[in-house]
Amino acid sequence: MHKQTLNSRLNAYLIYLGVAIASGGVALYTPLIVSETGIKFSGFWAASILCGLNLGRVIGSWLGSRFPATANHPLAVSGNILLEGIALYCMAFLEQAWALAIFAVLAGLGSGLSFPGLKFYLLKLRDLDQTALFSRLSFAIRIGLVAGYLLAGWIPHHTMKLVFLIVLITFISYGLLMLAAMRAIVRHESNLLKQQLEQEQQQKLACDLVAGNEKLSHERSQQSELPLLFYLSNAVFWCFAVQPTIGFSLHIPKFTPDLSVSTPFWIAAVVIIAFQIPVSKQAVRNKDHFRFLQFGYLSLFLSFLCMLAFPAYAATVIIASVLLSFAQIFYGPSLDVLTARYADRVSADTGQLMSRQMLYQSLGNMTGSLAGGLLFDLAQRWNMPAINWGLLAAGSLVMVILSQNKIPSLYRHATHRPQH
């Protein structure tokens, strides 16, 4: 009789706002804690914090893919956001590097469980374009990062308790905004379900047919799975892309001390803010998105090549950070869109696929974080300061070549697999 409508745009912007606020908190603490730990202990222990964070994300993403119905409940998503904020706040009171790494694992667990849920609810706003959803999500993240990096340069570094108190407040705000958006979406779906149940009571035969179709769709989604190599290519990208988070934070104090440690991060975020949405609008077909994946790897290669050639110049760090920002502009939203389109095509559980995607992304971040610290220490021991950048440039060039045909063919083979 009366139709309940959902204001999709309003709820999407509630989610974007929450993500932007939390991203500001992340940008505020990350360069400071990594840099301080590197100076106080070593590059390895600085990397162990990000490694622990991503180990927690791997565990959380794995649990989310195994138990999507539980992980995607609104209270679970908000609770896991709060877990991340509390674990980070506790880091302000820790003196040992191993303790910082342990609490980073707890923070990562909350992140790994909550972020796929965020994407899951965004994709429920079906009247909004998927490409626009993910490009705006990336845009919101970068807005928050710019604010956080700028704030990190203003707050005195010895006031880490204040830093992590601000971080806790940002995650509480994020959790509340997410909860408001998720409850509105769930309420709308509940109303739609009631309307469907009323129709099914009158058409029991049709209901059985729908159930049969759903069973068939489920069987098809079980048969059609993206290949392991496709997921691993995602892990490799983020393994390389996370290097500067460690590499720049350790490189700047030693080789370009006149440059603030947070400067390349906020400049990169500004570039993403300026170009993310206009660039993402250029990708419509799957072919365009695969081209963007290759551009992402190419940008990584050029960035690492700059650091290899001129490692002792502050301008090089800035140029490399800009190129890295373009790598993320091209790669991140396009991979999200391809994953969501694949889930729609084979009637797979979108939340489960997003959790699996984040699992491999977190594996890449975890491996890259630890490798970044170890490579930096190794480069100093061997008195070859550019060896880490050379290895990264070589690996990125290999992925540029593979992303020309190999990675797209893996995706198309899975999508077009014959169904029985």
Side-chain angles (χ1 to χ4, degrees), residues 48-89:
S48 72
I49 295 174
L50 291 186
C51 180
L53 189 66
N54 287 291
L55 174 60
R57 286 174 178 163
V58 168
I59 297 170
S61 299
W62 179 82
L63 290 172
S65 66
R66 294 279 294 179
F67 310 103
T70 302
N72 291 334
H73 189 281
L75 291 178
V77 174
S78 290
N80 287 316
I81 290 170
L82 188 59
L83 169 64
E84 184 176 2
I86 292 173
L88 291 173
Y89 179 62

Side-chain angles (χ1 to χ4, degrees), residues 192-211 214:
L192 290 178
L193 182 60
K194 287 178 182 178
Q195 295 173 11
Q196 290 174 358
L197 287 174
E198 289 174 1
Q199 294 174 359
E200 287 171 0
Q201 287 174 356
Q202 301 172 2
Q203 302 175 349
K204 190 175 184 304
L205 184 60
C207 176
D208 293 338
L209 180 61
V210 169
E214 287 177 350

Side-chain angles (χ1 to χ4, degrees), residues 338-420:
L338 288 168
T339 303
R341 286 182 179 177
Y342 173 81
D344 286 343
R345 186 170 299 184
V346 300
S347 301
D349 186 317
T350 306
Q352 192 172 35
L353 281 185
M354 287 296 180
S355 290
R356 192 170 294 125
Q357 177 186 316
M358 186 169 181
L359 186 151
Y360 284 93
Q361 178 177 328
S362 299
L363 275 172
N365 282 328
M366 180 182 71
T367 306
S369 300
L370 191 59
L374 290 172
L375 285 173
F376 183 84
D377 288 345
L378 190 65
Q380 306 318 302
R381 183 173 299 176
W382 290 356
N383 198 27
M384 299 173 65
I387 189 173
N388 52 335
W389 305 115
L391 291 171
L392 291 168
S396 299
L397 183 59
V398 171
M399 294 307 298
V400 170
I401 296 168
L402 290 177
S403 60
Q404 175 69 34
N405 294 309
K406 179 64 176 176
I407 293 173
S409 71
L410 290 170
Y411 180 91
R412 294 187 188 105
H413 176 73
T415 303
H416 294 150
R417 184 182 299 174
Q419 305 291 344
H420 302 288

Side-chain angles (χ1 to χ4, degrees), residues 202-374:
Q202 301 172 2
Q203 302 175 349
K204 190 175 184 304
L205 184 60
C207 176
D208 293 338
L209 180 61
V210 169
N213 287 338
E214 287 177 350
K215 182 178 179 182
L216 179 60
S217 294
H218 175 70
E219 290 172 350
R220 289 181 175 180
S221 68
Q222 291 296 103
Q223 293 171 359
S224 294
E225 177 57 84
L226 284 168
L228 177 62
L229 286 175
F230 183 82
Y231 285 119
L232 287 177
S233 70
N234 183 34
V236 170
F237 176 86
W238 292 106
C239 175
F240 293 165
V242 78
Q243 295 292 326
T245 306
I246 289 293
F248 288 164
S249 297
L250 298 173
H251 182 94
I252 289 170
K254 188 170 182 65
F255 295 102
T256 59
D258 293 336
L259 187 67
S260 169
V261 74
S262 63
T263 299
F265 299 106
W266 71 255
I267 288 176
V270 167
V271 171
I272 293 177
I273 288 169
F275 291 97
Q276 181 69 80
I277 292 178
V279 169
S280 294
K281 285 182 178 178
Q282 304 305 310
V284 178
R285 304 165 300 169
N286 281 359
K287 183 178 179 180
D288 300 325
H289 289 293
F290 278 114
R291 187 181 294 115
F292 276 16
L293 297 190
Q294 187 177 31
F295 288 169
Y297 282 118
L298 181 60
S299 298
L300 287 182
F301 169 69
L302 294 174
S303 174
F304 299 141
L305 191 63
C306 286
M307 292 299 295
L308 174 64
F310 308 103
Y313 295 92
T316 303
V317 176
I318 300 301
I319 293 169
S321 67
V322 170
L323 287 167
L324 280 161
S325 69
F326 274 102
Q328 295 177 52
I329 286 171
F330 287 122
Y331 192 91
S334 285
L335 188 73
D336 284 337
V337 170
L338 288 168
T339 303
R341 286 182 179 177
Y342 173 81
D344 286 343
R345 186 170 299 184
V346 300
S347 301
D349 186 317
T350 306
Q352 192 172 35
L353 281 185
M354 287 296 180
S355 290
R356 192 170 294 125
Q357 177 186 316
M358 186 169 181
L359 186 151
Y360 284 93
Q361 178 177 328
S362 299
L363 275 172
N365 282 328
M366 180 182 71
T367 306
S369 300
L370 191 59
L374 290 172

